């Protein structure tokens, strides 16, 4: 395949960016990148009654978040897409003259005519065979009603061109070579092929990708939480992981590897590996892939994203030294948390040393009168530790446990609750090292002082 591959993603801005639409965008983007071709973003906004600027913004935001950059567009300095400078995307609402010119061409050749105040396309009464890269050849027979009257509207009575017309004209004018779209569009393809034939040009090659279903096999609707891309953004998923998982919904590499970088996806993707059967959405698998990608995320990017979600949760990362914030976030990396869940997990780092919020159950269980003396002895050992790092702190705690004739757990839980207010959290020795000697000792002192004599 040469680099003349040209594909497009053409969403209608009438609602949120659905996960099926994002998957369609991704498959087109991967196909273009794999073959060194061109990926075009085209907003199908001719339905003025249902379009909204908010929906356009969500589409552009979702494309940016996923990293699906497009390659060309009008040089109009479009203020609705400032992130792309003077390059697109294309908006169909600005191309109406082009559509009407093409309609006039069909009318001049007797392939379109006026009826009931609208312009109609003169459709053949023959069956149409749709050659599909993924589904295979599909024969589209006309229904009994269509046999009697197969013609259909090109331009409505209000002068508005219909989807089928603008879709085909834009694909023709933009030199689209491959149309990769959802299987629900397969029913439209016969009309599109007829239009291409009427214009006297070869149609693009079509590939209809399978639907995405809920785990129970039902069709995913916009009401399902997993159906809308903005939910993944709000929940703090790693966008590279979402991209990776979307690629696996209907496609798989030959070697079966599932955790793939963007570069690996580009190098491996092709349409011959797209499945025909519907793909079932699995949120647990997505979370597992999120963990694997986040585990190897660049430290600067991990910290920047973590800071963003801290701020959203009301924790001001700028109020603390940069190195402290970065180190605090790093202690949560191996826990596989969504970024949305990081703030409550690391909030104890940013609490005042004399007022760490305490979980009532944890406090009642770990900070008993019997814990006072052991905690006080542990505090002495920590104060005397030659270095306040994880290795030294672990050695100090285990030394105190041996001295007192108790298991290490008898000290780790009281120490954890005293310094964090919770029974769960990052590795104890690492979190103490991040807090530092002064903060750790101050928090233990506060907890010991509040305990009754043992």
């Amino acid at each position: 395949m040469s680099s003349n591959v040209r594909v497009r993603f053409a969403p209608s801005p009438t609602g949120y960016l659905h996960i099926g639409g994002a998957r369609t965008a991704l498959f087109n983007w991967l196909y273009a990148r794999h073959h060194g071709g061109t990926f075009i973003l085209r907003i199908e906004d001719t339905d003025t009654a249902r379009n909204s600027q908010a929906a356009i913004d969500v589409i552009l935001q979702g494309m940016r978040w996923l990293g699906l950059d497009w390659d060309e567009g009008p040089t109009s300095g479009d203020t609705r897409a400032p992130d792309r400078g003077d390059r697109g995307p294309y908006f169909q609402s600005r191309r109406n003259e082009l559509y009407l010119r093409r309609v006039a061409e069909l009318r001049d050749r007797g392939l379109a005519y006026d009826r009931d105040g609208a312009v109609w396309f003169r459709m053949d009464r023959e069956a149409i065979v749709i050659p599909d890269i993924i589904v295979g050849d599909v024969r589209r027979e006309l229904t009994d009603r269509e046999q009697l009257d197969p013609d259909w509207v090109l331009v409505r009575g209000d002068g508005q061109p219909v989807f089928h017309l603008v879709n085909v004209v834009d694909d023709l004018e933009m030199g689209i070579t491959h149309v990769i779209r959802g299987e629900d569009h397969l029913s439209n393809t016969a009309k599109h092929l007829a239009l291409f034939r009427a214009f006297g040009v070869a149609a693009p090659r079509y590939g209809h990708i399978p639907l995405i279903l809920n785990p129970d096999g039902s069709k995913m609707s916009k009401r399902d939480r997993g159906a809308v891309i903005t939910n993944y953004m709000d929940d703090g998923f790693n966008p590279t992981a979402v991209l990776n998982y979307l690629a696996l919904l209907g496609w798989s590499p030959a070697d079966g590897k599932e955790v793939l970088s963007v570069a690996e996806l580009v190098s491996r993707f092709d349409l011959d590996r797209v499945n025909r059967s519907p793909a079932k959405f699995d949120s647990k698998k997505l979370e597992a892939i999120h963990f694997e990608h986040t585990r190897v995320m660049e430290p600067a990017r991990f910290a920047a994203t973590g800071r963003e979600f801290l701020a959203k949760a009301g924790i001001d990362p700028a109020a603390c030294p940069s190195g402290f914030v970065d180190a605090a976030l790093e202690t949560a990396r191996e826990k596989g948390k969504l970024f949305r869940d990081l703030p409550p997990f690391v909030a104890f780092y940013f609490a005042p040393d004399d007022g760490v919020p305490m979980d009532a159950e944890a406090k009642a269980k770990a900070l008993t009168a019997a814990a006072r003396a052991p905690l006080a002895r542990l505090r002495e050992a920590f104060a005397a530790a030659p270095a306040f790092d994880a290795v030294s702190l672990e050695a100090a705690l285990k030394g105190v446990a041996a001295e007192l004739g108790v298991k290490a757990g008898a000290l780790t839980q009281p120490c954890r609750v005293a310094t964090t207010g919770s029974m769960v959290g990052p590795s104890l020795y690492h979190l103490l090292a991040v807090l530092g000697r002064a903060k750790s000792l101050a928090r233990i002192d506060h907890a010991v002082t509040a305990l009754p004599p043992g």
Side-chain angles (χ1 to χ4, degrees):
M1 186 71 67
S2 65
S3 60
N4 67 345
V5 164
R6 291 175 62 82
V7 295
R8 48 70 168 179
F9 174 51
S12 176
T14 57
Y16 295 105
L17 180 60
H18 190 274
I19 194 170
R23 195 262 313 255
T24 297
L26 171 62
F27 278 24
N28 279 278
W29 186 87
L30 288 174
Y31 192 70
R33 296 293 174 261
H34 179 77
H35 292 288
T38 300
F39 174 67
I40 294 170
L41 177 61
R42 189 174 78 208
I43 307 297
E44 296 194 336
D45 61 339
T46 56
D47 188 351
T48 55
R50 298 179 60 218
N51 296 333
S52 73
Q53 181 60 48
I56 292 172
D57 293 341
V58 166
I59 290 170
L60 298 177
Q61 182 185 22
M63 295 288 286
R64 288 196 300 268
W65 185 72
L66 289 169
L68 301 179
D69 55 328
W70 55 96
D71 298 311
E72 68 175 48
T75 55
S76 61
D78 191 339
T79 58
R80 291 187 289 182
D83 60 302
R84 303 303 302 173
D86 286 333
R87 194 173 69 220
Y90 291 102
F91 288 90
Q92 287 185 328
S93 59
R94 303 176 184 183
R95 298 164 62 83
N96 203 51
E97 289 185 9
L98 173 62
Y99 309 136
L100 297 182
R101 187 164 64 247
R102 285 289 185 174
V103 169
E105 175 188 331
L106 294 175
R107 292 172 68 175
D108 289 345
R109 295 167 50 210
L111 298 174
Y113 60 95
D114 294 338
R115 183 171 114 191
D116 300 330
V119 181
W120 289 65
F121 178 67
R122 200 180 299 281
M123 187 80 168
D124 289 339
R125 285 174 167 76
E126 302 171 358
I128 292 181
V129 176
I130 303 166
D132 193 284
I133 302 170
I134 298 167
V135 180
D137 287 354
V138 177
R139 185 177 177 86
R140 170 73 163 84
E141 301 282 357
L142 271 65
T143 65
D144 291 341
R145 188 195 65 77
E146 289 172 332
Q147 286 288 352
L148 295 173
D149 184 9
D151 299 349
W152 46 275
V153 172
L154 284 172
V155 182
R156 300 186 186 94
D158 61 0
Q160 194 72 34
V162 302
F163 159 76
H164 303 295
L165 173 66
V166 297
N167 186 280
V168 167
V169 170
D170 278 343
D171 285 349
L172 187 162
E173 293 286 338
M174 295 177 182
I176 300 301
T177 60
H178 296 76
V179 174
I180 305 166
R181 59 188 182 185
E183 197 173 77
D184 50 330
H185 281 288
L186 184 58
S187 60
N188 298 323
T189 308
K191 290 181 178 179
H192 297 178
L193 290 175
L195 267 180
F196 277 110
R197 187 166 58 205
F199 286 124
V201 296
R205 297 191 66 192
Y206 286 89
H208 289 89
I209 57 183
L211 298 177
I212 300 175
L213 304 179
N214 288 313
D216 63 2
S218 61
K219 184 177 179 180
M220 184 173 278
S221 73
K222 292 182 180 180
R223 292 185 300 275
D224 296 315
R225 179 163 179 79
V228 181
I229 284 295
T230 50
N231 289 337
Y232 299 97
M233 300 166 66
D234 294 341
D235 285 349
F237 275 93
N238 185 329
T240 306
V242 175
L243 209 67
N244 183 170
Y245 182 66
L246 286 177
L248 300 177
L249 291 176
W251 171 85
S252 61
D255 63 1
K257 184 179 179 182
E258 293 193 321
V259 180
L260 299 161
S261 68
V262 175
E264 288 176 312
L265 289 170
V266 169
S267 68
R268 294 165 185 243
F269 185 86
D270 217 337
L271 295 179
D272 60 355
R273 296 292 305 175
V274 176
N275 307 316
R276 290 187 58 181
S277 57
K280 287 189 177 181
F281 188 85
D282 184 343
S283 59
K284 294 299 182 184
K285 186 172 181 179
L286 170 58
E287 290 175 9
I289 290 176
H290 163 85
F291 169 62
E292 293 299 330
H293 278 277
T294 304
R295 208 164 49 83
V296 297
M297 199 173 183
E298 301 89 338
R301 184 174 160 225
F302 179 84
T305 308
R307 287 167 178 271
E308 175 188 338
F309 278 83
L310 286 177
K312 287 180 179 179
I315 299 172
D316 181 10
C320 299
S322 178
F324 174 80
V325 177
D326 292 353
L329 290 168
E330 273 294 325
T331 61
R333 185 195 284 262
E334 290 292 332
K335 298 298 182 179
K337 299 284 185 181
L338 301 181
F339 283 102
R340 174 199 63 191
D341 299 325
L342 286 187
F345 192 72
V346 301
F348 68 88
Y349 284 113
F350 307 96
D353 296 332
D354 61 351
V356 179
M358 290 276 178
D359 175 79
E361 184 178 349
K363 181 179 180 180
K365 188 173 182 179
L367 295 181
T368 62
R372 181 185 176 97
L375 261 182
R377 177 67 190 92
L378 182 62
R379 191 261 187 220
E380 292 175 359
F382 282 170
F388 213 78
D389 55 41
V391 173
S392 301
L393 293 171
E394 182 176 10
L397 185 144
K398 289 182 176 178
V400 171
E403 173 190 320
L404 299 178
V406 297
K407 294 182 178 179
L411 294 173
T412 56
Q413 289 294 32
C415 181
R416 176 181 291 280
V417 175
T419 54
T420 72
S422 174
M423 297 278 278
V424 297
S427 161
L428 175 63
Y429 308 115
H430 289 88
L431 75 83
L432 290 172
V434 172
L435 282 172
R437 195 187 301 264
K439 279 181 170 291
S440 297
L441 297 183
R443 293 186 181 194
I444 294 173
D445 285 342
H446 182 76
V448 169
T449 301
L451 289 174

